[in-house]
Amino acid sequence: MESKRSTFGSNFGFLMAAIGSAVGLGNIWGFPYKMGQSGGFTFLLVYLLLAVFVGLTIMVSELAIGRKTRLSPIDAYREVSKKYKWIGWLAVASPFLVMTFYAVLGGYVLQYMSLNLAELSFGLSDLFRQQITGVATFDAMLANPFGCFFFTLLFMVICMVIVMGGVSGGIERFNKIGMPALALMLVIVIARSVTLPNAVEGLKFMFVPGYAVKGGFIDEAPGLISVLGTAGGQMFFSLSLAMGAILTYGSYLGKEENLVSNSITIVAADTLIAIMAGVAVIPAAVANGINNGIPVNEIAMNGPKLLFVTLQDVFANMGKAGPLFGVIFYLLVLLAAISSAISLMEAVGAHWIDMDLKAGKGDTRKRITLTVSALITIAALIVAVDGLGSNNIHPAALMGITGPVPDYIADWLDFMDCWSEGIAMPLGAMLMALMIGWERSPQLVLEEVGHGYRSTFFVKFYTVCIRFVAPVVMAFVLAGQMIGFFGGHEALWYAVAFGTLALFAIYTLSGREKK
Ligand code: PHE
């Protein structure tokens, strides 16, 4: 019976797994549009600054805590902190909640891939071809709860099999092939996208400052403060931070590996892929809209509609080659979704796998992964059947609220997203920064980093970021998320977010032993 804790087979394998976790639906359907809407390079600049000063800092911290303790989130926090021992539970609850909708979206991707594959293999009739156009397909899919649940289940089974294969035998092996394949397919899709007539309008939307407004895509560019919140939230989700995933992967990493250069590689690769994904999807979406007489401000370029309406239209209008590009594209998205989902599932199950190992019960990974998968699938049932709020069982409907409602009760996907990505993620990161920076000491992380790295610049940089920059930026992100989900008065949510920061800062500093 195996009695040793799992590890990655190589640093390259770890990198592919971590990049796989980071590169997901968030990169493809969030980043490009938010970048264009917020003035291209302005957004990119804010994003990169936040990624360097906060993302990198939290990434290094998570990896260090994971590797230092060699424990899953629940036990790792318990070991590191007196005051914040409970954050570990947040880092298990949030990935669980994210999985309840990520699995449903993964199911959608599977459906679209199958549709395009069927079209490609059998060259279906013109009648059917018409149905493959975006809106009709999307509506039909959402109105079919049975189908949605079936494909959600299928997605979960695929992920479960990979996670059951173990850290190096399943997760690492999948990513070592999946990530390079994803990059290759992305290049193919980019080549097709940017050569479509009028594609240049899409490139301008993404990269030319102010073009989103000038070109008529949106009415008004968002202000800098709101860009800060949006970019911060996007960056965090995209880098898989504060969800236990990176911490868990870090706990499987060898002591000799360099945490700082690894973190830089992950952040750089994730950002690069996000920009590449933008160049793959936005010019195609815009070109197809213009070529078919759709006003540019009516082209859906964000969220599920970008993936499942706009882009399906692009493929449907491409003629014979359409289904082929459709298959390549949705397969690429599927790889991105699976590689992220398996990191979320690993973060949820790791604690129980560790416990059994410690109790001398041997390696119970298979049984625990099965349980975790079953629980996620049961919870995902409501999200699948809800069909993004189209089947009248969304939270507002169940509560009997009619009329316009805030996002977080408009459908079950947003409801799950609100508590995980909206609240738990920024809060968890804020508390982690307070815990390391003030309750314990930045030294905690720096010592662990020191195994493979020594630099006085990094020591100073890290200390300032973890103590001051990260907590304040996380308050902005928290406010931005609450404004997005709950709506209403912005001032109120800023007050709530900074009030939360102040309260926890007092809690952290109270009764602190002087060293
Ligand atoms: N980073 C993934 C994405 O961009 C989502 C994710 C978040 C995965 C947190 C794991 C942990 O879609």
Side-chain angles (χ1 to χ4, degrees):
M1 209 186 288
E2 212 195 321
S3 58
K4 278 233 301 275
R5 200 165 181 274
S6 320
T7 48
F8 284 109
S10 67
N11 195 55
F12 174 75
F14 158 76
L15 272 177
M16 289 300 109
I19 293 172
S21 170
V23 172
L25 297 171
N27 298 55
I28 300 166
W29 81 21
F31 183 90
Y33 178 73
K34 288 173 195 163
M35 176 168 154
Q37 186 195 35
S38 313
F41 281 115
T42 325
F43 179 87
L44 191 57
L45 203 67
V46 174
Y47 185 95
L48 286 176
L49 284 174
L50 290 176
V52 170
F53 285 98
V54 187
L56 201 65
T57 303
I58 300 290
M59 175 83 64
V60 171
S61 311
E62 278 203 39
L63 289 175
I65 289 181
R67 189 173 72 174
K68 182 185 173 70
T69 58
R70 288 247 176 273
L71 293 168
S72 64
I74 294 179
D75 309 285
Y77 281 102
R78 213 180 265 161
E79 182 157 309
V80 171
S81 168
K82 283 205 192 79
K83 287 187 170 157
Y84 291 115
K85 15 177 184 297
W86 48 273
I87 312 182
W89 286 100
L90 271 188
V92 168
S94 340
F96 184 90
L97 290 179
V98 171
M99 268 313 285
T100 63
F101 65 85
Y102 223 81
V104 175
L105 296 170
Y108 294 170
V109 181
L110 269 175
Q111 293 199 54
Y112 272 70
M113 199 186 70
S114 316
L115 265 182
N116 282 277
L117 194 61
E119 170 87 8
L120 181 68
S121 339
F122 309 119
L124 297 168
S125 69
D126 283 349
L127 186 77
F128 194 74
R129 192 189 300 267
Q130 271 167 9
Q131 281 194 6
I132 295 193
T133 54
V135 183
T137 313
F138 195 51
D139 289 348
M141 178 177 79
L142 295 182
N144 178 2
F146 180 77
C148 287
F149 183 65
F150 174 78
F151 280 93
T152 300
L153 187 67
L154 194 59
F155 181 83
M156 284 304 300
V157 170
I158 297 173
C159 295
M160 182 182 79
V161 169
I162 298 171
V163 178
M164 278 183 173
V167 176
S168 66
I171 296 173
E172 181 173 350
R173 207 202 281 171
F174 174 81
N175 282 296
K176 274 205 302 210
I177 301 168
M179 285 304 107
L182 180 148
L184 180 69
M185 288 188 275
L186 199 51
V187 172
I188 297 174
V189 180
I190 288 175
R192 175 67 280 208
S193 167
V194 295
T195 49
L196 290 169
N198 288 318
V200 68
E201 285 299 302
L203 290 172
K204 285 191 197 156
F205 167 78
M206 268 186 83
F207 294 106
V208 176
Y211 199 74
V213 177
K214 215 184 331 155
F217 291 89
I218 55 170
D219 293 337
E220 203 185 335
L224 194 63
I225 293 285
S226 100
V227 170
L228 196 68
T230 318
Q234 171 69 27
M235 182 267 293
F236 247 73
F237 187 72
S238 187
L239 289 177
S240 301
L241 295 173
M243 294 254 178
I246 295 293
L247 192 156
T248 308
Y249 277 5
S251 75
Y252 303 134
L253 184 63
K255 282 282 180 203
E256 65 290 354
E257 310 302 351
N258 185 331
L259 298 185
V260 178
S261 66
N262 272 337
S263 300
I264 294 174
T265 310
I266 299 166
V267 173
D270 183 63
T271 310
L272 180 70
I273 301 258
I275 296 174
M276 285 172 70
V279 178
V281 299
I282 299 288
V286 171
N288 184 67
I290 295 176
N291 300 342
N292 290 292
I294 302 169
V296 287
N297 64 344
E298 282 172 24
I299 305 170
M301 289 197 283
N302 194 18
K305 281 204 174 137
L306 165 71
L307 279 189
F308 304 119
V309 175
T310 313
L311 285 166
Q312 181 53 45
D313 276 340
V314 172
F315 302 126
N317 290 334
M318 243 181 217
K320 283 225 158 49
L324 178 62
F325 282 103
V327 172
I328 297 177
F329 177 75
Y330 290 110
L331 182 61
L332 166 179
V333 180
L334 184 64
L335 288 179
I338 293 176
S339 59
S340 296
I342 54 181
S343 73
L344 290 161
M345 289 167 63
E346 183 66 22
V348 176
H351 168 72
W352 287 275
I353 299 177
D354 280 355
M355 281 218 312
D356 283 351
L357 205 59
K358 241 190 263 157
K361 291 190 198 154
D363 184 0
T364 53
R365 165 176 291 274
K366 288 207 168 69
R367 193 170 44 92
I368 285 162
T369 305
L370 179 68
T371 314
V372 167
S373 308
L375 292 175
I376 291 172
T377 309
I378 292 169
L381 181 62
I382 184 122
V383 182
V385 173
D386 177 47
L388 297 178
S390 57
N391 296 328
N392 261 321
I393 54 156
H394 52 81
L398 297 186
M399 290 188 287
I401 303 174
T402 50
V405 292
D407 271 1
Y408 81 108
I409 45 172
D411 59 64
W412 280 99
L413 187 153
D414 272 306
F415 185 80
M416 302 296 196
D417 196 19
C418 169
W419 303 114
S420 51
E421 191 193 350
I423 310 281
M425 178 185 78
L427 192 66
M430 181 195 280
L431 300 184
M432 178 197 222
L434 290 175
M435 172 191 94
I436 297 172
W438 300 97
E439 190 206 357
R440 297 293 310 265
S441 123
Q443 211 48 38
L444 176 86
V445 166
L446 289 168
E447 259 164 31
E448 183 61 32
V449 169
H451 283 291
Y453 191 79
R454 237 170 270 276
S455 139
T456 41
F457 168 75
F458 184 74
V459 170
K460 287 194 189 126
F461 170 85
Y462 180 80
T463 308
V464 172
C465 288
I466 199 79
R467 289 195 140 174
F468 303 102
V469 187
V472 174
V473 168
M474 288 335 290
F476 274 108
V477 173
L478 184 60
Q481 300 283 46
M482 289 192 290
I483 292 165
F485 281 106
F486 300 129
H489 290 293
E490 300 199 355
L492 170 71
W493 299 121
Y494 279 111
V496 170
F498 280 91
T500 308
L501 174 60
L503 275 180
F504 277 109
I506 295 169
Y507 173 69
T508 312
L509 294 173
S510 63
R512 197 161 68 112
E513 297 155 36
K514 290 261 169 342
K515 278 206 210 110

